[in-house]
Amino acid sequence: MPIRTNRGRAAVYRRLWGWPLRSPRHLMGTLVFLAILVTALGIVLPKVVGKPQAKASPTTGTTTSVTATPPGVAAPVPTSNLPTRLSAPLATPTTAAPNGDAVRVAKEWAAAWVDHPAGITSEQWLAKLKPFTTEEYLPVMASVDPANVPATKVTGEPVVGTSYTSSVQLTIPTDGPKLAITVVNTNAGWRVADYDQAS
């Protein structure tokens, strides 16, 4: 049986491999050193080796640039030749004769707009406007105080300005300012989507 001595190459190796096992502190120090070494190699090696510059596409034979995305940055979105909504030209509205339902709704809305006797609340006034107003425009109407409406009756028939298949703009005279009303065709039928007071 060979005699182990404290001299020679085997003794040096034994001391190196045995050092981490001498105490828990040595073992933890060794593990931390190895973790730092692996992390450093993971950072340094890709920089030393370099990045691939160009890669030939097997289907077209052209070269495409391959770039690595830095950590924490989203990868670029590849472009496609698919059509989008914005690539098609916008359709021009088609003019049409004024729709009878649109004119009727505008008249009824104007009649409800001027009907605000003293003491009426905003909720009561809005309840009369609601059947003729779009859901999106009702919150705008809720900001109007019926006591500030400067008209009390409709004084004439509607005058159509522009008329399309999906919207009609018309003016209705009152004993105050004229009402410039826009009526649009919705899933629920024709509804008022906007108004303004014209002199």
Side-chain angles (χ1 to χ4, degrees):
M1 180 171 190
I3 300 172
R4 292 190 177 183
T5 65
N6 290 331
R7 288 178 285 203
R9 193 180 305 154
V12 172
Y13 291 151
R14 224 177 8 258
R15 289 184 74 127
L16 284 176
W17 299 126
W19 185 83
L21 301 176
R22 287 190 182 172
S23 71
R25 183 185 296 173
H26 286 191
L27 182 60
M28 289 304 294
T30 304
L31 292 177
V32 169
F33 173 78
L34 288 175
I36 292 172
L37 181 65
V38 169
T39 304
L41 287 175
I43 293 172
V44 172
L45 280 180
K47 292 181 180 177
V48 172
V49 173
K51 302 173 191 169
Q53 296 298 324
K55 184 177 178 182
S57 174
T59 55
T60 61
T62 61
T63 60
T64 57
S65 175
V66 177
T67 58
T69 305
V73 177
V77 177
T79 57
S80 67
N81 295 328
L82 297 175
T84 63
R85 278 190 312 145
L86 299 177
S87 64
L90 296 174
T92 305
T94 306
T95 56
N99 185 290
D101 287 338
V103 175
R104 178 188 56 78
V105 165
K107 286 172 66 173
E108 292 179 4
W109 188 90
W113 186 79
V114 297
D115 184 19
H116 54 89
I120 191 171
T121 65
S122 293
E123 291 77 17
Q124 293 169 332
W125 185 64
L126 281 174
K128 291 193 281 186
L129 292 170
K130 185 175 182 177
F132 314 109
T133 310
T134 62
E135 292 294 324
E136 295 80 11
Y137 198 58
L138 270 177
V140 177
M141 293 302 300
S143 66
V144 178
D145 184 0
N148 294 332
V149 173
T152 57
K153 64 180 177 179
V154 174
T155 59
E157 290 298 312
V159 177
V160 177
T162 56
S163 176
Y164 301 104
T165 54
S166 59
S167 68
V168 177
Q169 293 177 340
L170 40 83
T171 305
I172 298 179
T174 69
D175 59 350
K178 291 180 181 177
L179 293 178
I181 300 174
T182 302
V183 187
V184 296
N185 193 2
T186 67
N187 293 336
W190 290 91
R191 297 289 185 267
V192 172
D194 190 20
Y195 90 100
D196 197 6
Q197 299 176 37
S199 56

